[in-house]
Amino acid sequence: MKQKSVWALTVADGFMTMIIEVCQSGAVSYFYMKNLGLKISYMTMVWTVFAFWNAIDDLIAGSISDRTKNRLGRRIPYVRFCGLLAGIFFALAFVKFPFVQSQLGLAISAFLVLGMLDFATSFLEITLFAIPVEETLDDGERGKIYLLELLADAVALAVPTYVIPLLQPAQGESTTGFSAVMCVIGLVSGLAIFFSSFYMESGYQIPDEQEQPPLLPYILGFLKSRPFLTCEFFSVSVWTALSVFMLGMYYYFDEVPNWKTACYCALVVSASFSMFLYWKFREKFGTKGLCVIAQAGGAVFMALGYVAGIFFGKMVFAGILAFFGYGFAYIGNMFFLSFMMGDVADYDEYRNGLRREGILFGFDNIFCCVANLSQAMFLTIILAFGYVEHQPEGTQSLLAQQGILTAWLLIPAGILAVGAICTYRFYPLDRKAVVQMKKELEHA
């Protein structure tokens, strides 16, 4: 790929990731519940319905993208126009509409902005995942692109993990200033993605004689693929764990507000260590081994954080250990998963002769709708432990704090542990198999 196209992809991916992470992190949920007064029961309903919408629209987006024939390629047109839409709907997600006052009205408003935003970002995600995979089979070349995107994503992650907690108005305070900042972030992001598309190039075009099969055979084919199913379990486990973790982070910092810097430093250290493992041992461990390490590392340190908080009452150390584990899982999701899905896409071409990254990624998000349901699960658990809605920060009971730790850490740790075992035991594309497959594809 040309360097200008790589940089354009990096810019677009960074802004897109920021938009998605803000919403997946629970910032929208937190804004609607803490600042607009939406009850937890209604927000739980929103995320439950949204999970099913998320599954449908991603599959539609992937199918359309794979079938697109355009002089710019089959992906870039969606970056150009969906980037603007994503920025607009992101801005609207943090606007307090004066004519929406009832609980039902707020719930409908939350669902509409999340639903439209997700539809736009579905095309963006598919495009930015597919282009590097379509352009080269070489893991080294893909890795350079993924690394630049990861660095951009790391900067983007600062918005939901650091900027929003600092700017988020306390309960009862005016939301005007916060909403204005979020609107600016959304519109700037949309424009950045839009203009970056003019510097992207995609050399892959669908051959005239190649026709994608109907949607149902498409789906059935993937459901019979062991690499695909195992990859999906990895994706679901990491996405679900991170989704719960990011939402729980806001509730944790409500109770332990003065140790954010220490927690973020732990995140940086573990993420850096994960990247060191990639550069030092990727030839030895392969994508499979690195993914197992990411899941297992996240599970172990989140579990240790839970033990520190519940059994020893060390809430500060619980957060530091949790963020250290989060760094492993985050790199697994944002970096190692790209390699795994690229290998699965190559395997699909190896077996069927078709490049179908769009439907692969769209299908991935059907499974990942579990991550959206997990936010509803988190809210249900903290209520069961006696969490009191709309109570001032730092005043929850000891039992409620234990409920936050249980939902925030124990569930992600368990999910990641099961995922690590399944990846190690059932994912068939180890280093040797991937190298052999790609050799045959290059000579095909």
Side-chain angles (χ1 to χ4, degrees):
M1 290 182 66
K2 293 183 178 179
Q3 196 61 37
K4 69 173 184 178
S5 185
V6 172
W7 284 111
L9 280 171
T10 302
V11 170
D13 188 80
F15 282 102
M16 177 204 70
T17 299
M18 185 272 297
I19 289 174
I20 293 173
E21 289 293 332
V22 167
C23 296
Q24 290 284 359
S25 71
V28 176
S29 301
Y30 190 89
F31 176 73
Y32 266 83
M33 290 185 293
K34 286 283 188 177
N35 300 123
L36 302 188
L38 183 62
K39 293 181 179 178
I40 287 181
S41 58
Y42 278 88
M43 198 67 224
T44 300
M45 178 180 66
V46 169
W47 278 107
T48 302
V49 176
F50 174 75
F52 293 100
W53 164 249
N54 185 30
I56 295 171
D57 74 345
D58 285 310
L59 193 59
I60 293 171
S63 180
I64 292 173
S65 181
D66 278 347
R67 289 169 166 77
T68 298
K69 294 185 179 182
N70 186 281
R71 63 182 180 82
L72 297 175
R74 58 177 176 170
R75 313 294 183 189
I76 295 175
Y78 299 110
V79 181
R80 188 158 299 176
F81 300 108
C82 292
L84 282 175
L85 291 175
I88 292 170
F89 286 117
F90 176 89
L92 292 176
F94 294 94
V95 172
K96 181 179 181 179
F97 299 103
F99 53 85
V100 180
Q101 299 292 336
S102 68
Q103 290 291 308
L104 181 59
L106 286 170
I108 293 173
S109 173
F111 173 74
L112 288 177
V113 292
L114 285 170
M116 293 301 99
L117 176 60
D118 185 72
F119 190 68
T121 55
S122 292
F123 282 100
L124 288 175
E125 285 185 284
I126 287 166
T127 294
L128 300 176
F129 160 73
I131 290 178
V133 177
E134 287 180 344
E135 293 299 310
T136 179
L137 290 170
D138 184 72
D139 274 347
E141 291 297 315
R142 289 179 182 175
K144 293 176 183 177
I145 299 171
Y146 295 152
L147 178 59
L148 287 173
E149 291 180 340
L150 179 66
L151 294 174
D153 294 345
V155 176
L157 186 66
V159 175
T161 58
Y162 194 73
V163 176
I164 290 181
L166 287 178
L167 298 179
Q168 191 98 39
Q171 186 176 321
E173 292 182 353
S174 172
T175 63
T176 303
F178 177 72
S179 295
V181 172
M182 300 309 291
C183 285
V184 170
I185 290 175
L187 295 177
V188 169
S189 300
L191 289 171
I193 296 171
F194 173 78
F195 286 113
S196 71
S197 70
F198 289 92
Y199 296 92
M200 294 181 188
E201 295 180 4
S202 177
Y204 184 83
Q205 295 283 356
I206 302 176
D208 292 334
E209 69 277 4
Q210 185 183 108
E211 291 294 334
Q212 299 285 352
L215 186 58
L216 184 57
Y218 233 171
I219 294 173
L220 293 176
F222 278 117
L223 289 176
K224 297 177 182 178
S225 170
R226 181 175 164 187
F228 170 76
L229 292 175
T230 321
C231 174
E232 287 312 308
F233 196 85
F234 172 84
S235 179
V236 168
S237 68
V238 176
W239 260 114
T240 302
L242 296 187
S243 184
V244 172
F245 186 90
M246 290 294 285
L247 176 58
M249 173 188 72
Y250 296 115
Y251 290 85
Y252 170 78
F253 284 142
D254 279 348
E255 305 305 312
V256 189
N258 298 323
W259 290 87
K260 294 177 183 178
T261 301
C263 290
Y264 296 140
C265 287
L267 165 61
V268 171
V269 170
S270 64
S272 300
F273 179 70
S274 298
M275 291 305 302
F276 169 78
L277 291 178
Y278 165 75
W279 289 113
K280 192 72 175 178
F281 299 107
R282 66 189 178 98
E283 294 295 333
K284 179 179 180 180
F285 294 154
T287 299
K288 176 179 178 177
L290 292 171
C291 287
V292 171
I293 291 172
Q295 289 173 306
V300 168
F301 284 99
M302 286 184 187
L304 288 175
Y306 176 78
V307 171
I310 295 294
F311 296 101
F312 297 96
K314 305 295 184 181
M315 290 288 285
V316 172
F317 288 109
I320 293 173
L321 288 167
F323 272 83
F324 194 85
Y326 174 74
F328 282 98
Y330 177 77
I331 295 298
N333 179 61
M334 301 302 295
F335 194 60
F336 300 156
L337 177 60
S338 297
F339 287 99
M340 181 180 276
M341 293 190 70
D343 290 343
V344 172
D346 295 337
Y347 179 80
D348 184 46
E349 182 185 18
Y350 176 72
R351 293 294 300 270
N352 302 300
L354 298 172
R355 298 299 310 187
R356 305 189 287 187
E357 292 86 359
I359 199 70
L360 169 64
F361 194 87
F363 211 166
D364 170 70
N365 281 356
I366 291 180
F367 290 89
C368 285
C369 69
V370 176
N372 297 320
L373 289 172
S374 67
Q375 295 209 10
M377 179 175 60
F378 172 90
L379 296 172
T380 301
I381 290 172
I382 65 172
L383 283 177
F385 274 78
Y387 183 88
V388 180
E389 298 181 60
H390 312 308
Q391 186 166 304
E393 287 82 358
T395 60
Q396 296 291 336
S397 67
L398 177 61
L399 181 61
Q401 291 181 3
Q402 291 177 342
I404 292 172
L405 285 182
T406 299
W408 184 42
L409 300 182
L410 190 60
I411 294 173
I415 292 171
L416 289 171
V418 173
I421 293 170
C422 289
T423 302
Y424 177 79
R425 177 66 181 83
F426 299 111
Y427 185 65
L429 299 181
D430 57 19
R431 180 67 183 169
K432 182 178 179 181
V434 168
V435 169
Q436 181 61 34
M437 175 184 67
K438 293 189 176 186
K439 283 182 178 179
E440 294 187 30
L441 283 174
E442 287 172 351
H443 292 90

